[in-house]
Amino acid sequence: MFDIELQNISKTYPGATVPAVNNINLAIKKGEILTLLGPSGCGKTTLLRIIAGFEKSDTGQLYLADQLVSSCDYWLPPERRSVGMVFQDYALFPHLNVKNNITFGYKGEDREERAREVLELVNLTGYEGRFPHELSGGQQQRVALARALNRKPVVVLLDEPFSNLDADLTMQMRVELQKILKEAGTTAIFVSHNQKDALSISDRIVVINEGVIQQIGTPREVYQYPDNIFVANFVGRSNLLTGVIGSDALSVQTDIGSFKCHHTHGHQPGEEVNISIRPDGLELAEDGAIKGVIKELIYTGEAYDAEVTVTGKSGRQYDLQTHIHPEREVNVGSTLKFKILPEFVAVIRH
């Protein structure tokens, strides 16, 4: 069962030469947390605004809970769409306390009961009488989320929800928001340009660039098996190489060696392909077949981010990105051996 369906959605702003979103087709399951991920100006916020009803698409149909809300000759206004919205700056009323912010505009007979329910859901029971300036950034965000959930919407839309929070609070709020949304059973769509946000909270990720969907998949699928060069470079870092599909159709032969590849997308033996190897795919091993010299080294606390120069059979040198466990004593100029983990190797589809 799908809560949201977008069929052939396109939008070009007046005066623009290219569409902001171009022929988007997407179905979102009930209770799913989905992130629209891409760089600034890629069309993700436009798509969110079309779902909310703040923008009209030029083409296509949009369904919420099997109800048509937008087409070429029909458009349902935002207040009738059963959509909850959490804005980037939270948009709380400074003169209203927490309870009145949450219930603003809600006239249902269960107004008091519903307020208690959502306050408990977002762990703000006891904060009813406080005003926004008396709350932390994370608490303000939870008030905004409670307000969005108060009317039991079909979908909650969140526009860059972590952009105003510091790094430590962002990590905490990722966990809290995911927990709250799952407990509420609410379908949610996040907009983000931050890969860590997307990977940590999403059931699925939709990677967008220049108004076009580049890849749809689980966080693991998008990270480990990018479909194209844009996804490989935008979602994390990647080592891009060329190679030839091996005779077993399950391996790739490259200038730096031959190794297994879990995703070959049906390419045939002998076919030339581009491949992505995530930095996590290079593992230190005494019997590793790949030997390299550390060119650059950055200590992050969690690991060393290293750039390793590997010389191929042709004599060509390749600078590969990898992570090294911080317990290892390594320095620029150190020679190390690696093996390739096939779980982090993917043939780029296109």
Side-chain angles (χ1 to χ4, degrees):
M1 180 179 178
F2 297 115
D3 258 1
I4 307 164
E5 289 189 75
L6 295 87
Q7 301 175 358
N8 306 314
I9 296 292
S10 295
K11 170 74 177 181
T12 303
Y13 288 105
T17 57
V18 295
V21 293
N22 191 2
N23 197 35
I24 298 293
N25 289 277
L26 183 62
I28 303 169
K29 299 174 184 176
K30 184 175 179 62
E32 184 174 28
I33 299 176
L34 181 134
T35 298
L36 304 175
L37 177 66
S40 298
C42 74
K44 57 188 186 295
T45 297
T46 296
L47 199 56
L48 198 77
R49 291 177 61 82
I50 288 172
I51 295 170
F54 301 147
E55 300 281 356
K56 293 182 179 179
S57 62
D58 300 330
T59 65
Q61 297 81 41
L62 171 62
Y63 295 86
L64 297 180
D66 294 326
Q67 179 187 7
L68 178 67
V69 298
S70 178
S71 67
C72 293
D73 52 9
Y74 180 74
W75 180 79
L76 195 68
E79 63 271 17
R80 294 176 58 195
R81 291 195 178 193
S82 188
V83 169
M85 188 83 187
V86 178
F87 295 95
Q88 187 172 343
D89 60 358
Y90 314 140
L92 300 179
F93 296 108
H95 63 290
L96 297 181
N97 62 25
V98 167
K99 179 182 175 182
N100 290 333
N101 260 289
I102 290 172
T103 59
F104 182 83
Y106 185 58
K107 306 298 183 183
E109 294 181 0
D110 62 343
R111 188 173 188 265
E112 295 295 320
E113 179 184 355
R114 187 61 184 153
R116 287 194 297 271
E117 288 177 356
V118 294
L119 280 166
E120 184 178 352
L121 181 65
V122 301
N123 197 27
L124 285 176
T125 300
Y127 289 76
E128 296 89 339
R130 295 197 187 185
F131 289 85
H133 72 274
E134 298 175 306
L135 304 174
S136 68
Q139 290 168 337
Q140 290 180 28
Q141 186 178 75
R142 280 185 276 156
V143 173
L145 181 59
R147 181 175 60 187
L149 292 169
N150 190 51
R151 302 189 185 200
K152 298 181 179 179
V154 171
V155 60
V156 172
L157 308 177
L158 302 100
D159 187 8
E160 299 279 6
F162 306 119
S163 61
N164 293 326
L165 305 179
D166 61 38
D168 289 340
L169 188 53
T170 293
M171 292 178 64
Q172 176 186 340
M173 288 307 300
R174 286 175 188 151
V175 176
E176 289 192 13
L177 275 180
Q178 185 186 50
K179 180 175 181 288
I180 290 167
L181 290 168
K182 287 301 182 183
E183 287 184 1
T186 302
T187 306
I189 302 176
F190 282 78
V191 157
S192 181
H193 66 276
N194 187 303
Q195 53 163 308
K196 289 185 178 180
D197 291 346
L199 292 170
S200 61
I201 65 175
S202 309
D203 294 314
R204 283 193 303 158
I205 297 172
V206 179
V207 184
I208 302 175
N209 189 40
E210 297 182 347
V212 177
I213 292 177
Q214 304 294 312
Q215 185 172 355
I216 303 174
T218 66
R220 181 176 180 177
E221 288 168 345
V222 169
Y223 181 75
Q224 292 185 207
Y225 310 120
D227 262 5
N228 56 39
I229 291 175
F230 174 80
V231 177
N233 286 330
F234 184 76
V235 184
R237 296 182 297 169
S238 196
N239 300 299
L240 301 175
L241 301 170
T242 58
V244 176
I245 297 294
S247 58
D248 59 358
L250 296 174
S251 62
V252 180
Q253 298 171 358
T254 74
D255 191 29
I256 66 170
S258 178
F259 33 83
K260 294 290 184 182
C261 178
H262 277 198
H263 276 230
T264 58
H265 296 304
H267 287 285
Q268 299 302 308
E271 190 173 349
E272 292 186 2
V273 293
N274 295 314
I275 63 169
S276 161
I277 306 175
R278 291 296 189 185
D280 316 77
L282 291 164
E283 184 179 74
L284 284 176
E286 294 298 327
D287 59 346
I290 296 176
K291 185 168 68 174
V293 178
I294 296 179
K295 180 180 179 181
E296 293 183 5
L297 200 62
I298 298 174
Y299 179 69
T300 66
E302 298 174 348
Y304 287 104
D305 288 346
E307 184 174 298
V308 179
T309 300
V310 175
T311 302
K313 290 175 288 186
S314 67
R316 178 182 172 182
Q317 292 189 329
Y318 301 84
D319 291 332
L320 305 181
Q321 307 292 327
T322 187
H323 305 308
I324 299 174
H325 196 280
E327 72 175 4
R328 292 295 299 260
E329 290 288 341
V330 292
N331 298 286
V332 172
S334 298
T335 299
L336 303 171
K337 289 184 177 181
F338 300 88
K339 65 179 180 180
I340 301 292
L341 302 179
E343 293 82 1
F344 293 94
V345 181
V347 170
I348 294 175
R349 192 195 304 271
H350 55 277

